[in-house]
């Protein structure tokens, strides 16, 4: 079934481009500013936006995203604020995929169906849930299918081929490959196993007609280029964006210009020469 | 009782909610555990260690003075406090380290609250010459300097965790992050019946030695089953260990005592089954203390070992199916029970275990005089002497005043 995510990948393919996926924390540093940041990212060339819903105990995230979550929660930002954030972005960007990245407890705490329905009503395209695997996802898959929400499951370098097949089948958006053994945050250097896993995963995922995007630890254009050369259909950056935001919290114009430069550098390597 | 062990489900609770990176390790651990569970030489090795190193079986002691003082029932104490390391935690750490060794892991990590599980992990790792690193909230490191020293002495490295509330739940988050990064050579030795499958099942099995012994010992003394088994519950490992062999003996009342902290209306407590909601956290579906948006709350208890905002999934199911009940007692009641058991029986219990003692002290009248009640004393109280000492200044009035000054609520439970 076509949705904003698959349509975006198809359009990029026509242009011979790979997807640049940007992650930000909803409501960070403020609700108003995070809206401006998303606008800037889209303007600078990000193809798909992931909005992290702040959670008290983010076990897959490194210190930079944890700190952003803590600060945001201390300001009283709630999941419904993230939903409304998407709703307001959607008014201006009908086709840009807007995904929520959230831990399971946020989805389930007040009733899974209720939260997913509210999300649908706020024009969210789909979900990335780092602590939800397909084995535990029967209800989630049933409801997201019914509502037409995209699902993105994660895979890791140590995921077996057999599991990856199921992950590909369960993912209606793209498959999110975690590049390393570890949590979010930049790495000095990727090891060989990452690039080998990207190639292996790409061939399995694409046999199901799905796309593979790689994230965790990508902090510069060189890293992104290597992921693409290994076969990634898209690259995901998060911590690096949050770092720019945090470092320039009190100088918005500098924040926006640094985001613009960073995104353009990354987008440039997503344009693959023939 | 419906118990789908393949996915580690207890009713609808339990399961495996973790980042994909950990799934292969959990599947592997599950496979190994199933194999070793029925492996005679593994079981022989473990039981040899439990007997010769840890000091099993532990006595079941008839608390004559306490029983008389309360006017019945007949109260027996299961003396896990007499184990090496001073608490039941070692039943589990020896088992898991033995598995890690067989699987070929070279590094052990663990979380700890007060330090009891950290110490028990350090001891078991030392026995098998494995490197161990313990995650402990910065606040707990501050409060439990002596246990930090003890772990260092046993050759463990202690990481002080500064994120979040700087207590047990944050130590678990950090241990999980370490495991995600080092899953290929590292075993995460979870200390309670919590976390993703197979931990709740595996830890329960290792702790069930407590209940098996209780069953045999009570039978030897009375020719019958006990009428009730009572244990304190944080994550719930000593309680499930005490309960599990009795789950199908429907006449045996199973009572898990949660920490009511300063009183459950104050917000400062760890009474997860009284005040929590169903959620997904630390790899499992269970009950958790959380706010209206699903953010996990901080727990509070005078006893660090009960200071956890969740509970093992099997307890959630035992409660929902009415097989066990989960009342709570407050900080104040636990401190009083700590003092009372020390004076009456010459046994200084851990503040955790004092919650179970407090329950029987409060509720003795609800039992018949000739009924047999077993209370598990999960650990000894040496580690809590300082905090209780600060509560005491000689007179009962003094105790209350000091407790108030220390920020301990004076509310009685129900």
């Amino acid at each position: 079934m076509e949705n904003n995510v698959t349509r975006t990948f198809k359009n990029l393919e026509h242009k011979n481009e790979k997807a640049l996926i940007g992650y930000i924390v909803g409501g960070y540093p403020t609700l108003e500013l995070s809206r401006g940041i998303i606008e800037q990212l889209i303007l600078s060339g990000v193809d798909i936006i992931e909005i992290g819903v702040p959670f008290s105990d983010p076990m897959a995230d490194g210190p930079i995203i944890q700190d952003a979550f803590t600060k945001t929660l201390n300001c009283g930002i709630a999941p419904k604020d993230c939903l409304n954030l998407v709703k307001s972005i959607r008014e201006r960007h009908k086709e840009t995929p807007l995904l929520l990245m959230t831990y399971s407890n946020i989805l389930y705490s007040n009733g899974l169906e209720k939260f997913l329905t509210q999300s649908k009503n706020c024009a969210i395209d789909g979900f990335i849930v780092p602590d939800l695997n397909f084995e535990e996802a029967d209800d989630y898959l049933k409801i997201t299918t019914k509502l037409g929400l995209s699902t993105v499951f994660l895979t890791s370098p140590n995921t077996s081929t057999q599991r990856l097949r199921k992950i590909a089948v369960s993912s209606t958006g793209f498959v999110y490959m975690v590049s390393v053994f570890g949590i979010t945050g930049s790495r000095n250097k990727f090891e060989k196993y990452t690039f080998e896993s990207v190639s292996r995963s790409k061939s399995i995922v694409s046999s199901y007609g799905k796309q593979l995007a790689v994230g965790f630890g990508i902090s510069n254009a060189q890293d992104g280029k290597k992921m693409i050369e290994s076969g990634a259909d898209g690259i995901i950056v998060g911590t690096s964006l949050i770092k720019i935001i945090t470092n320039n919290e009190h100088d918005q114009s500098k924040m926006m210009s640094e985001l613009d430069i960073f995104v353009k550098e990354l987008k440039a390597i997503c344009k693959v020469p023939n | 009782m419906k118990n789908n062990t393949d996915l580690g489900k207890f009713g609808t609770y339990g399961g495996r909610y973790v980042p994909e990176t950990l799934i292969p390790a959990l599947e592997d651990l599950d496979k190994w555990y199933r194999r070793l569970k029925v492996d005679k030489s593994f079981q022989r090795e473990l039981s040899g260690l439990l007997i010769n190193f840890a000091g099993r079986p532990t006595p079941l002691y008839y608390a004559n003075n306490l029983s008389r003082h309360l006017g019945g029932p007949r109260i027996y104490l299961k003396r896990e406090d007499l184990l090496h390391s001073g608490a039941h935690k070692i039943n589990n750490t020896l088992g898991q380290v033995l598995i890690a060794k067989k699987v070929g892991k070279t590094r052990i990590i663990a979380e700890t609250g007060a330090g009891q599980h950290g110490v028990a992990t350090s001891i078991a790792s030392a026995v098998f010459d494995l490197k161990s690193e313990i995650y402990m909230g910065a606040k707990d490191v501050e409060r439990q300097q002596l246990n930090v020293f003890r772990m260092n002495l046993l050759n463990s490295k202690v990481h002080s965790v500064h994120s979040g509330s700087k207590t047990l739940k944050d130590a678990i988050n950090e241990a999980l992050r370490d495991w995600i990064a080092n899953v290929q050579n590292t075993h995460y030795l979870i200390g309670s019946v919590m976390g993703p499958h197979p931990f709740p099942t595996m830890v329960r099995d290792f702790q069930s030695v407590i209940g098996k012994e209780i069953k045999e010992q009570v039978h030897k003394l009375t020719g019958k089953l006990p009428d009730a088994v009572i244990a304190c519950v944080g994550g719930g490992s000593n309680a499930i260990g005490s309960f599990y062999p009795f789950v199908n003996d429907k006449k045996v009342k199973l009572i898990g005592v949660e920490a009511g902290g300063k009183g459950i209306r104050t917000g400062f407590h760890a009474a997860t089954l009284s005040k929590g909601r169903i959620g997904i956290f630390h790899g499992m579906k269970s009950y958790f203390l959380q706010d209206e948006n699903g953010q996990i709350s901080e727990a509070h208890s005078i006893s660090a070992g009960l200071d956890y905002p969740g509970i093992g999934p099997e307890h959630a199911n035992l409660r929902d199916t009415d097989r066990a009940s989960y009342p709570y007692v407050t900080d104040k009641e636990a401190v009083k029970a700590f003092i009372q058991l020390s004076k009456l029986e010459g046994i200084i219990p851990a503040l955790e275990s004092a919650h179970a003692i407090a329950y029987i002290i409060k509720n003795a009248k609800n039992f018949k005089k000739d009924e047999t009640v077993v209370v598990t004393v999960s650990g000894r109280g040496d580690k809590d002497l300082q905090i209780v000492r600060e509560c005491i200044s000689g007179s009962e009035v003094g105790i209350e005043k000091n407790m108030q000054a220390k920020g301990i609520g004076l509310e009685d439970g129900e």
Side-chain angles (χ1 to χ4, degrees):
Chain A
M1 202 183 72
E2 194 172 77
N3 54 49
N4 273 348
V5 181
T6 55
R7 195 180 305 116
T8 298
F9 274 105
K10 205 190 278 170
N11 292 342
L12 288 168
E13 205 183 333
H14 285 313
K15 294 191 284 182
N16 222 6
E17 283 182 27
K18 304 298 178 187
L20 177 61
I21 303 168
Y23 169 96
I24 62 113
V25 173
Y28 180 73
T30 64
L31 258 183
E32 197 43 50
L33 198 47
S34 68
R35 189 174 300 126
I37 289 166
I38 294 171
E39 291 285 350
Q40 178 66 57
L41 295 180
I42 295 173
L43 185 70
S44 303
V46 170
D47 301 298
I48 297 173
I49 300 284
E50 283 178 20
I51 293 153
V53 182
F55 180 52
S56 53
D57 297 81
M59 68 158 133
D61 285 300
I64 290 181
I65 291 176
Q66 279 180 59
D67 285 350
F69 276 6
T70 306
K71 284 184 201 161
T72 310
L73 289 171
N74 289 342
C75 293
I77 299 293
K80 69 170 189 311
D81 297 315
C82 296
L83 301 190
N84 288 329
L85 175 66
V86 171
K87 197 174 173 187
S88 72
I89 301 286
R90 180 62 75 207
E91 285 164 14
R92 288 164 51 93
H93 303 278
K94 301 284 180 222
E95 301 211 323
T96 304
L98 302 170
L99 304 172
L100 282 195
M101 184 149 178
T102 173
Y103 286 85
S104 295
N105 202 50
I106 301 283
L107 288 182
Y108 284 81
S109 159
N110 286 305
L112 180 64
E113 181 144 20
K114 189 173 149 199
F115 192 87
L116 292 177
T117 306
Q118 283 169 350
S119 303
K120 181 68 188 179
N121 293 340
C122 291
I124 280 155
D125 288 304
F127 286 87
I128 304 166
V129 190
D131 58 350
L132 185 66
N133 310 101
F134 60 83
E135 286 100 333
E136 303 287 1
D138 286 355
D139 291 347
Y140 169 78
L141 284 170
K142 220 176 283 168
I143 303 166
T144 47
T145 304
K146 189 177 85 184
L147 295 172
L149 290 162
S150 298
T151 54
V152 174
F153 285 89
L154 291 86
T155 184
S156 154
N158 56 350
T159 301
S160 67
T161 300
Q162 199 192 359
R163 281 187 69 82
L164 183 50
R165 289 180 197 282
K166 290 186 184 157
I167 290 168
V169 170
S170 308
S171 300
T172 57
F174 56 90
V175 172
Y176 188 135
M177 178 163 166
V178 175
S179 63
V180 290
F181 293 109
I183 50 179
T184 58
S186 55
R187 303 286 183 282
N188 287 331
K189 186 170 158 281
F190 286 98
E191 290 175 50
K192 209 168 119 198
Y193 77 84
T194 291
F195 306 113
E196 287 170 358
S197 309
V198 173
S199 312
R200 181 181 71 91
S201 306
K202 159 72 181 178
S203 72
I204 297 165
V205 167
S206 65
S207 72
Y208 289 87
K210 305 285 166 73
Q211 271 73 30
L212 184 80
V214 182
F216 278 41
I218 298 174
S219 61
N220 57 55
Q222 285 75 25
D223 292 342
K225 189 156 180 277
K226 281 193 221 157
M227 299 301 175
I228 288 168
E229 283 167 1
S230 304
D233 300 301
I235 53 172
I236 306 163
V237 284
T239 300
S240 302
L241 299 176
I242 307 295
K243 253 190 207 165
I244 294 174
I245 294 164
T246 303
N247 291 343
N248 298 291
E249 204 178 324
H250 304 292
D251 187 346
Q252 285 178 39
S253 69
K254 190 156 164 266
M255 181 195 298
M256 297 304 172
S257 79
E258 284 192 19
L259 286 171
D260 182 53
I261 294 166
F262 183 68
V263 167
K264 281 181 175 150
E265 269 174 26
L266 285 161
K267 190 58 207 178
I269 58 104
C270 290
K271 294 176 181 165
V272 186
N274 280 318
Chain B
M1 190 136 309
K2 231 170 132 187
N3 193 344
N4 184 344
T5 48
D6 275 342
L7 287 163
K9 298 281 182 179
F10 306 97
T12 59
Y13 303 108
R16 197 182 261 163
Y17 296 86
V18 291
E20 178 65 27
T21 312
L22 293 180
I23 296 282
L26 292 167
E27 285 180 341
D28 207 35
L29 181 61
D30 189 31
K31 208 172 66 196
W32 272 95
Y33 177 59
R34 279 164 202 272
R35 189 183 305 165
L36 293 172
K37 197 179 166 177
V38 294
D39 180 298
K40 290 223 168 75
S41 83
F42 174 83
Q43 290 301 339
R44 233 186 346 258
E45 193 173 353
L46 177 58
S47 110
L49 280 164
L50 289 174
I51 294 166
N52 301 313
F53 183 68
R56 299 215 74 89
T58 57
L60 184 78
Y61 175 70
Y62 175 55
N64 187 28
N65 298 342
L66 180 66
S67 302
R68 225 175 30 209
H69 176 79
L70 297 172
R74 299 177 60 80
I75 299 165
Y76 289 85
L77 304 177
K78 180 59 176 166
R79 300 291 311 277
E80 293 299 293
D81 59 312
L82 292 177
L83 283 174
H84 176 41
S85 83
H88 72 290
K89 293 286 184 192
I90 198 159
N91 299 328
N92 169 45
T93 59
L94 285 171
Q96 282 199 50
V97 168
L98 198 53
I99 288 180
K101 191 83 181 174
K102 300 266 182 217
V103 177
K105 302 289 182 186
T106 54
R107 179 173 172 263
I108 301 284
I109 56 170
E111 81 291 344
T112 198
Q116 294 311 99
H117 175 58
V119 167
T121 299
S122 305
I123 288 172
S125 303
V127 171
F128 291 97
D129 193 23
L130 284 169
K131 210 160 73 183
S132 64
E133 297 180 33
I134 312 293
Y135 287 89
M136 190 168 182
K139 267 189 205 161
D140 293 329
V141 167
E142 193 69 27
R143 289 190 284 209
Q144 300 286 342
Q145 288 290 339
L146 209 54
N147 265 344
V148 174
F149 176 68
R150 199 168 281 153
M151 287 183 270
N152 288 334
L153 199 61
L154 291 159
N155 216 15
S156 281
K157 188 170 170 187
V158 178
H159 297 280
S160 178
V161 175
H162 290 269
S163 58
S165 61
K166 302 181 174 60
T167 58
L168 178 60
K169 89 176 163 79
D170 310 283
I172 295 171
N173 292 339
E174 217 49 48
L176 282 166
R177 289 182 184 117
D178 179 316
W179 203 29
I180 292 169
N182 300 295
V183 66
Q184 280 149 315
N185 70 350
T186 299
H187 176 71
Y188 178 17
L189 205 170
I190 291 186
S192 192
V193 283
M194 50 149 293
H197 177 63
F199 285 104
T201 303
M202 186 170 70
V203 177
R204 174 201 68 203
D205 290 349
F206 286 136
Q207 292 296 358
S208 289
V209 66
I210 304 172
K212 280 182 207 149
E213 286 177 10
I214 292 174
K215 206 171 194 175
E216 281 172 26
Q217 289 165 323
V218 170
H219 189 266
K220 214 171 184 179
L221 288 164
T222 68
K224 292 189 297 191
L225 290 166
D227 296 290
V229 179
I230 301 170
C232 64
V233 182
S237 71
N238 91 85
I240 208 77
S242 303
F243 295 172
Y244 189 64
F246 295 101
V247 164
N248 293 321
D249 302 312
K250 299 272 152 74
K251 283 189 176 151
V252 181
K253 278 189 204 132
L254 304 176
I255 301 165
V257 185
E258 293 196 309
K262 298 183 184 188
I264 64 165
R265 279 172 297 274
T266 64
F268 293 94
H269 61 81
T272 310
L273 285 178
S274 290
K275 283 292 192 179
R277 281 191 294 125
I278 294 173
I280 292 168
F281 184 49
H282 284 160
M284 60 181 169
K285 183 182 260 187
S286 188
Y287 282 81
F288 299 97
L289 299 176
Q290 53 185 310
D291 73 7
E292 71 278 11
N293 293 316
Q295 310 295 350
I296 304 299
S297 310
E298 285 178 34
H300 167 85
S301 170
I302 190 169
S303 105
L306 303 183
D307 205 348
Y308 180 65
I311 186 164
E314 193 161 10
H315 287 294
N317 190 48
L318 289 174
R319 202 281 297 267
D320 280 11
T321 55
D322 285 329
R323 179 59 194 96
S325 60
Y326 294 86
Y328 65 89
V329 307
T330 60
D331 286 348
K332 175 188 164 192
E333 291 164 337
V335 170
K336 286 189 164 172
F338 180 100
I339 296 166
Q340 204 164 3
L341 193 73
S342 303
K343 288 191 172 156
L344 281 172
E345 295 292 352
I347 295 169
I348 302 174
L351 272 172
E352 289 80 1
S353 322
H355 284 71
I357 304 289
Y359 177 83
I360 191 62
I361 291 174
K362 276 173 73 181
N363 295 284
K365 57 184 182 304
N366 299 332
F367 291 91
K368 292 193 195 101
K369 263 186 177 338
D370 58 346
E371 281 188 313
T372 302
V373 172
V374 177
V375 182
T376 300
V377 181
S378 56
R380 68 174 183 230
D382 305 42
K383 68 183 175 62
D384 299 313
L385 291 177
Q386 185 61 27
I387 184 160
V388 174
R389 184 181 173 194
E390 286 167 11
C391 295
I392 297 179
S393 73
S395 71
E396 288 288 316
V397 183
I399 291 172
E400 300 219 341
K401 210 177 265 173
N402 285 331
M403 286 200 292
Q404 213 159 19
K406 290 293 291 175
I408 297 167
L410 291 178
E411 189 172 335
D412 286 312
E414 274 148 22

